[in-house]
Amino acid sequence: MITYLLKRFAAMIITLWLIITMTFFLMHSIPGSPFNEERNTSEAVQQNLISFYHLDDPLPLQYVNYLKSVVMLDFGPSIKKGESVNTLIGRGFPVSFELGMDTLIVAIISGIILGVIAALRHNGIIDYLAMTIAVLGISIPNFVMATLLIQEVAVNWGILPVATWTSWRHMILPILALATGPMAIIARLTRSSMLEVLTQDYIKTAKAKGLSPVKIVIKHALRNAMLPIVTILGSMTAGILTGTFVIEKIFAIPGMGKYFVDSINTRDYPVIMGTTVFYSAILIFMLFLVDMAYGVLDPRIKLSSKEGR
């Protein structure tokens, strides 16, 4: 186990280094500088700013210096915000994390429930209705869903407020806009997995022993049906966390999305790099946790890994 963990940790470091390298050189390959739009400043002032932020250093030197700062967990100062990138992340990430985790919880719970009900009522009205909802959830992008929710629920009906992030009522529409797509994917995957698991011999044996349907579904069928869902949780978490950027902008939520989108528009290199590195590290760690969850849900994976050695 220790050897496996060390290998995975080394792979995580290499992956993160590749992301940093690609993002750094792609970002600096774009012509111009962050100060090109500063029309009210003279060329001499712009050159002084470029020198102050070391943007006139040779690109390899900038790259090495940035790697050193990342190792020290220092993402440098924001060019446009007048604050350090660490401060911006510390202020915006808790909001984005709360939005992302709430969305993930809602998507997982509602998707599993919808998928289980559809599997238990296979080829019935409930099954067709559940899958219709799932198809609609997959087909409609979250920013389109957000616009529809704002127009219908907030503007036309006046049920819920929009903008900011001050109370639980402000959280409902952004969470719904983000959770619809992942919920639909989980529902369809749960349904297909449950249909396969329910035909296995050990389910028939459990029924023959007289176990209650609820116990059979929850303890025996659902646990094994969860494996495909766990497989996609890593990439789904990535999609939700990065998807919050657009939703945060639409709903004026003070999270990382506001800083990241603004930094792209103003070419604030430190904020772009710091946000990318920070989120990449989190997502790589999430994928690692998904691998660890395999062994918890299915002990056969542990046995197969030992046999392989």
Side-chain angles (χ1 to χ4, degrees):
M1 177 61 70
I2 295 177
T3 303
Y4 173 75
L5 292 176
L6 290 175
K7 289 181 179 179
R8 284 306 311 269
F9 181 76
M12 290 164 61
I13 297 299
I14 294 174
T15 302
L16 186 59
W17 170 72
L18 290 173
I19 292 173
I20 294 172
T21 302
M22 292 178 62
T23 306
F24 182 88
F25 286 104
L26 285 173
M27 184 179 61
H28 283 81
S29 66
I30 302 174
S33 75
F35 308 105
N36 285 348
E37 296 182 358
E38 300 291 342
R39 299 177 180 178
N40 296 328
T41 58
S42 63
E43 184 175 348
V45 173
Q46 291 186 22
Q47 288 298 323
N48 289 334
L49 290 172
I50 291 174
S51 299
F52 177 80
Y53 289 102
H54 302 286
L55 297 178
D56 55 348
D57 291 342
L59 198 58
L61 179 59
Q62 293 185 49
Y63 173 68
V64 172
N65 290 334
Y66 189 76
L67 285 180
K68 292 179 181 178
S69 64
V70 169
V71 172
M72 300 301 293
L73 301 180
D74 180 14
F75 296 118
S78 169
I79 296 176
K80 300 293 184 178
K81 300 293 184 181
E83 298 178 279
S84 69
V85 178
N86 292 49
T87 301
L88 296 177
I89 292 176
R91 182 190 306 144
F93 178 69
V95 177
S96 298
F97 182 79
E98 182 181 4
L99 174 59
M101 289 300 100
D102 289 346
T103 299
L104 193 62
I105 292 172
V106 170
I108 291 174
I109 294 176
S110 59
I112 290 176
I113 292 175
L114 199 63
V116 169
I117 293 175
L120 296 177
R121 298 292 185 268
H122 182 49
N123 288 335
I125 296 177
I126 297 179
D127 182 18
Y128 294 138
L129 180 61
M131 289 304 99
T132 300
I133 296 174
V135 170
L136 289 176
I138 295 173
S139 304
I140 302 176
N142 56 27
F143 60 87
V144 175
M145 180 63 68
T147 305
L148 293 174
L149 289 173
I150 291 174
Q151 180 63 37
E152 296 299 327
V153 180
V155 177
N156 293 344
W157 298 348
I159 298 176
L160 292 171
V162 293
T164 71
W165 189 257
T166 56
S167 70
W168 64 270
R169 299 182 74 244
H170 289 91
M171 302 177 184
I172 296 177
L173 292 184
I175 291 174
L176 288 178
L178 274 173
T180 305
M183 178 271 293
I185 295 173
I186 292 175
R188 290 178 62 86
L189 193 57
T190 301
R191 175 183 177 273
S192 60
S193 298
M194 284 290 294
L195 289 175
E196 181 180 355
V197 169
L198 289 174
T199 60
Q200 299 297 317
D201 291 337
Y202 64 87
I203 298 296
K204 297 177 182 178
T205 303
K207 291 180 179 178
K209 290 181 178 180
L211 296 180
S212 65
V214 175
K215 190 173 183 178
I216 292 174
V217 170
I218 295 178
K219 186 176 180 179
H220 297 282
L222 186 58
R223 178 173 179 176
N224 291 298
M226 284 289 292
L227 281 175
I229 300 172
V230 172
T231 303
I232 66 168
L233 280 183
S235 58
M236 182 170 290
T237 302
I240 290 176
L241 288 177
T242 53
T244 61
F245 289 171
V246 178
I247 298 299
E248 287 174 13
K249 193 70 175 178
I250 293 174
F251 287 94
I253 298 173
M256 283 304 302
K258 178 179 183 298
Y259 301 125
F260 187 73
V261 174
D262 291 343
S263 66
I264 293 176
N265 294 331
T266 60
R267 300 179 65 175
D268 194 341
Y269 294 156
V271 176
I272 296 174
M273 287 296 302
T275 306
T276 303
V277 174
F278 182 74
Y279 270 92
S280 298
I282 292 176
L283 299 178
I284 291 171
F285 181 70
M286 289 297 297
L287 293 174
F288 172 75
L289 292 181
V290 168
D291 287 345
M292 294 296 99
Y294 286 153
V296 176
L297 291 173
D298 192 350
R300 293 174 298 179
I301 296 177
K302 293 181 180 179
L303 293 175
S304 63
S305 63
K306 290 179 181 178
E307 292 173 358
R309 290 195 291 258

